[in-house]
Amino acid sequence: MIPLSFSLTVLIPGLAGVGLLFLEGRWRRRGLMAAAILAQGYLSLTIPLEASTEILGLSLEWSALARLFLPVFGLLSLAMLIQSEDPPYGPHFASLGLFVLAALNGSLISSPLLAASLLIVAGLIGLFFIPQRPRLERSWQAAHRYLAQTFVGGMALILGLLLVEAQRTALVGLPLLRIGVGLLALGFAMRLGIIPLHQWLVEMEEHALDMASALILGLINVATLIFLVVVFLEKPPAVIDPRAHQLFSWGGALSIGLGSLLGLAQSSPRRLVAFSTIYDLGFIFYGVSSVTELGWLGALWGILHHGTTQVLLRTSLTLAQARRKDPDRPSSMGILGFWGGGLALVGMPPLSPSLGRWMILTVALKRHWVLGSAMLGASAVMLLAYLRMGLRLFLGPIVPLGSNGEPESWPEQDLGQPAVARLVTGLILAAMLILNFYPHPIIALLQQAIRSFAFPVS
Amino acid sequence: MIALLALALLLGAVALAYMADSWRYVLAGMMAQYLAMSLLLMREAPPLFGLLRLGVGIAVALILYFTIRQFQYATRRGASVQRVLRASRYHPYRLATLALTAVIAFGLATANPFPDYTVEGSLAAYFLGGSALLMLLVGQQMLRDGISLLFLDSAIQFLGMATVSEGTFLTLIFGSLVTPLLALAVAFLMTLQREVPSPEGPNQ
């Protein structure tokens, strides 16, 4: 029974994706997607924690992280795929999205080496979302850069893992091991878009369609972040070289500082969202490399909200676009979503992402108070950027969403579905509010995940 | 002897893909690279692994071949397209950088052979990976970028196969999914490139 349940976590979204290729009618397609996500949620609750199995030589394991993220991935996919039903997303967007989901589900339950391959598979499928009409020229260039940077990053991850894995058999000398850790750092930075390897992320946010970049950053990047946590908690690079964690910490701090400053300098909302994503990734990187339970808890809490915040901000931008039809009527749900997502990112209550931000800030202030204060200052800068952009976007005259200072003509069909966007924004805001006041069950699950790893934490 | 022949074939294959002006030679170089790596892999791992890589290589070559044919057909019909391959200029410079990569790879392979691998196997992987990064840095054309990513994939997959035991053959199959998917992604971008206006004007 357990091997079947494990297989179904991958097969259900995969088969639903195949089904969508042939199914006509909006409500039928929505029904199939919802059924697949429900089945996935049911499986995540019924497979016992720490269960493991072997299928044709593949070792699979069910962890607390898989139990938590499988339904989250499902719900986020549903929210994104329903918003991408209309042109210009293309008829097969939802099918490809479900194939991505199948690969990511597989990465949650696999051994690290296979998980890395599945993340590359998901990233390659994600490439098909980026070049879309009507902005083909620039989105094509963004896709070209995305392919080169994230694929090289993925290969660096696999090579780094191979070298670190070989440590077990004592076949690798210290120089090669250090190269392995360096490759892991490079691979994660390239795939996630940590400064200074962030160019693909900014270009994609700027030129790809909203749900395309939400799917890549909200699902594929989140799965990569979970993989980062697993690699760190299973084989901490500090065991090989204590300076390795400093490398990750400073990489994270650099992304926080520069991400906030560059975010403030933007006049385009999409570019602001891109730099706030980099700023958020910096916090997660810093939390993971802190090797403290509070830091890891903050990082996992941040990862849990990273995808949700992506969808929230993107959906708010859809509502900002819808203002073009009726400029005199500000969208209250749009501004709530945009400010709610932005302020939660910088640690302002009462939405749940702020909890994770304060956990990491507490750790940072305890470890190096100067660096912690700088991170606090960077958060204040990002807060200012979001307040300013929200006012311009929803209460001022209509502004172009794309590149800085460039006029942009958006075709009418690119406006998305405002009713669905309002519903999704409302649901996400409500869930974040509830989770802020009642976080205990999720925190207990995350603590269980942290303690299931052998590496001792302080 | 076979290892030396395979290494020579690999060197020639990479040089062809890196320096040739015609897409036919570039594809031939890519295919020869898969053949050389399969021969080397058969020495380092069970022969089935080498055959699997060769099969994947044939699939990749077919995907790219048909994409380029389609591209050419559209070009003849008058579509405004960007060149897939720009004539590679500065041949001596390219030859020198390739030779430098080979020397660095030789040094690395003799000083730090990859765990579980012979010096020849390590040399092939270091050289192929280094050449892939070099091509990626130098090239600006979609096809050549795609080929360089395929070379990088080939080098890493080659290294991964020694650490994968026969019991986890399925892991290998899943890992090999990456290669045809990468070829499809490259083909997809090349197909769309027909519609992307080029700053250099239409194709020749």
Side-chain angles (χ1 to χ4, degrees):
Chain A
M1 190 60 198
I2 284 183
L4 180 68
S5 304
F6 272 89
S7 312
L8 286 177
T9 57
V10 177
L11 286 175
I12 287 175
L15 291 175
V18 174
L20 283 185
L21 290 173
F22 304 102
L23 206 60
E24 297 283 337
R26 177 169 287 191
W27 284 102
R28 283 184 191 170
R29 290 168 66 87
R30 284 181 181 178
L32 180 62
M33 283 191 275
I37 302 309
L38 272 176
Q40 187 169 311
Y42 174 76
L43 280 173
S44 71
L45 291 175
T46 49
I47 301 178
L49 273 181
E50 312 302 334
S52 60
T53 188
E54 197 164 293
I55 303 171
L56 297 171
L58 281 182
S59 296
L60 305 173
E61 200 176 325
W62 191 255
S63 64
L65 289 179
R67 167 165 289 182
L68 184 62
F69 280 95
L70 211 76
V72 171
F73 280 179
L75 288 172
L76 287 179
S77 311
L78 191 64
M80 286 185 263
L81 298 182
I82 286 181
Q83 289 185 79
S84 61
E85 285 170 331
D86 297 324
Y89 283 98
H92 303 312
F93 190 92
S95 296
L96 289 174
L98 287 173
F99 294 150
V100 167
L101 185 62
L104 297 183
N105 286 353
S107 77
L108 283 176
I109 55 176
S110 309
S111 59
L113 206 55
L114 181 57
S117 295
L118 287 172
L119 284 175
I120 296 174
V121 166
L124 285 172
I125 302 173
L127 173 114
F128 290 85
F129 299 135
I130 302 174
Q132 297 282 352
R133 293 168 189 89
R135 295 189 293 260
L136 188 61
E137 186 185 350
R138 291 207 172 170
S139 60
W140 184 90
Q141 285 162 355
H144 188 181
R145 192 185 288 274
Y146 166 86
L147 174 68
Q149 287 202 5
T150 61
F151 191 80
V152 173
M155 288 290 124
L157 274 185
I158 290 190
L159 189 55
L161 272 177
L162 286 173
L163 288 170
V164 175
E165 283 275 343
Q167 183 199 19
R168 286 183 183 166
T169 49
L171 284 168
V172 181
L174 198 59
L176 267 184
L177 266 181
R178 284 185 177 144
I179 291 174
V181 172
L183 284 169
L184 281 178
L186 181 73
F188 279 119
M190 283 184 97
R191 275 197 70 89
L192 293 169
I194 294 288
I195 285 177
L197 302 165
H198 62 290
Q199 198 55 36
W200 73 265
L201 191 149
V202 178
E203 279 188 12
M204 192 196 62
E205 284 265 20
E206 201 174 354
H207 302 301
L209 294 172
D210 283 333
M211 289 308 129
S213 47
L215 217 143
I216 290 171
L217 299 175
L219 284 188
I220 301 175
N221 261 18
V222 169
T224 309
L225 285 168
I226 297 168
F227 185 58
L228 169 78
V229 172
V230 171
V231 168
F232 250 84
L233 269 64
E234 274 190 350
K235 306 177 194 64
V239 175
I240 296 160
D241 191 330
R243 290 170 298 183
H245 279 209
Q246 285 176 6
L247 182 72
F248 279 84
S249 291
W250 283 102
L254 189 71
S255 286
I256 295 168
L258 287 181
S260 63
L261 287 174
L262 291 170
L264 187 65
Q266 305 306 316
S267 60
S268 143
R270 283 210 169 83
R271 288 179 67 93
L272 169 61
V273 171
F275 283 108
S276 68
T277 303
I278 293 166
Y279 155 92
D280 193 31
L281 287 170
F283 266 99
I284 294 169
F285 240 64
Y286 187 88
V288 171
S289 60
S290 69
V291 202
T292 59
E293 184 166 344
L294 190 63
W296 280 349
L297 195 58
L300 280 172
W301 190 264
I303 295 169
L304 181 67
H305 287 88
H306 187 75
T308 323
T309 315
Q310 283 294 325
V311 178
L312 181 64
L313 289 170
R314 289 278 154 189
T315 311
S316 310
L317 289 183
T318 302
L319 291 171
Q321 286 175 57
R323 260 195 84 207
R324 288 177 66 239
K325 277 183 179 168
D326 191 0
D328 296 329
R329 193 175 154 206
S331 163
S332 49
M333 191 57 87
I335 197 159
L336 269 177
F338 191 76
W339 271 348
L343 301 193
L345 270 181
V346 301
M348 294 289 284
L351 295 181
S352 52
S354 59
L355 289 178
R357 189 62 72 245
W358 281 104
M359 288 178 203
I360 295 172
L361 277 173
T362 307
V363 172
L365 285 166
K366 273 186 189 168
R367 288 174 79 202
H368 322 275
W369 69 269
V370 177
L371 189 62
S373 306
M375 285 160 71
L376 208 57
S379 298
V381 171
M382 190 52 86
L383 173 69
L384 189 65
Y386 262 95
L387 287 175
R388 197 184 64 146
M389 189 63 77
L391 283 174
R392 284 187 61 219
L393 197 57
F394 290 94
L395 301 175
I398 300 295
V399 292
L401 298 186
S403 308
N404 281 338
E406 283 183 26
E408 185 179 49
S409 59
W410 284 71
E412 283 301 310
Q413 76 266 27
D414 214 6
L415 295 178
Q417 300 177 45
V420 177
R422 269 193 289 275
L423 178 70
V424 170
T425 306
L427 286 174
I428 291 178
L429 285 174
M432 283 181 168
L433 205 59
I434 293 168
L435 204 53
N436 186 58
F437 293 109
Y438 192 60
H440 316 295
I442 305 290
I443 283 187
L445 204 57
L446 292 178
Q447 280 173 328
Q448 191 176 356
I450 291 169
R451 285 167 192 160
S452 67
F453 291 100
F455 190 68
V457 288
S458 52
Chain B
M1 187 63 189
I2 291 178
L4 281 180
L5 275 176
L7 276 175
L9 180 62
L10 181 69
L11 190 67
V14 172
L16 199 61
Y18 184 44
M19 301 185 65
D21 296 345
S22 159
W23 64 266
R24 287 185 177 83
Y25 291 128
V26 173
L27 276 197
M30 191 198 68
M31 198 54 231
Q33 172 271 140
Y34 278 110
L35 183 62
M37 293 307 275
S38 303
L39 285 173
L40 284 165
L41 196 59
M42 283 179 197
R43 293 182 70 236
E44 311 277 352
L48 194 58
F49 287 23
L51 290 175
L52 178 73
R53 284 309 293 169
L54 193 60
V56 167
I58 292 169
V60 166
L62 285 175
I63 290 170
L64 292 182
Y65 175 78
F66 285 116
T67 308
I68 296 171
R69 288 301 298 268
Q70 195 189 7
F71 195 99
Q72 280 202 322
Y73 178 69
T75 310
R76 280 196 210 106
R77 285 168 64 99
S80 173
V81 295
Q82 190 176 22
R83 275 190 262 176
V84 179
L85 269 178
R86 190 191 296 154
S88 53
R89 287 163 244 163
Y90 312 122
H91 277 131
Y93 165 75
R94 286 179 178 246
L95 202 59
T97 51
L98 197 65
L100 187 65
T101 310
V103 171
I104 292 171
F106 182 75
L108 277 172
T110 44
N112 280 309
F114 205 80
D116 275 344
Y117 273 83
T118 58
V119 173
E120 291 89 350
S122 302
L123 172 59
Y126 281 129
F127 173 64
L128 193 58
S131 313
L133 293 177
L134 180 69
M135 280 172 72
L136 201 60
L137 287 174
V138 172
Q140 288 179 337
Q141 302 85 33
M142 191 60 237
L143 178 63
R144 224 186 284 276
D145 281 359
I147 300 261
S148 61
L149 291 178
L150 284 162
F151 278 8
L152 184 64
D153 169 68
S154 195
I156 305 290
Q157 297 271 0
F158 176 78
L159 290 176
M161 285 184 180
T163 55
V164 176
S165 65
E166 286 195 68
T168 52
F169 190 66
L170 209 57
T171 310
L172 202 67
I173 302 274
F174 275 108
S176 296
L177 270 180
V178 170
T179 313
L181 204 52
L182 173 63
L184 283 174
V186 172
F188 172 67
L189 287 183
M190 280 173 59
T191 309
L192 283 181
Q193 197 180 10
R194 287 191 307 228
E195 298 173 42
V196 177
S198 161
E200 297 170 3
N203 196 10
Q204 291 181 343

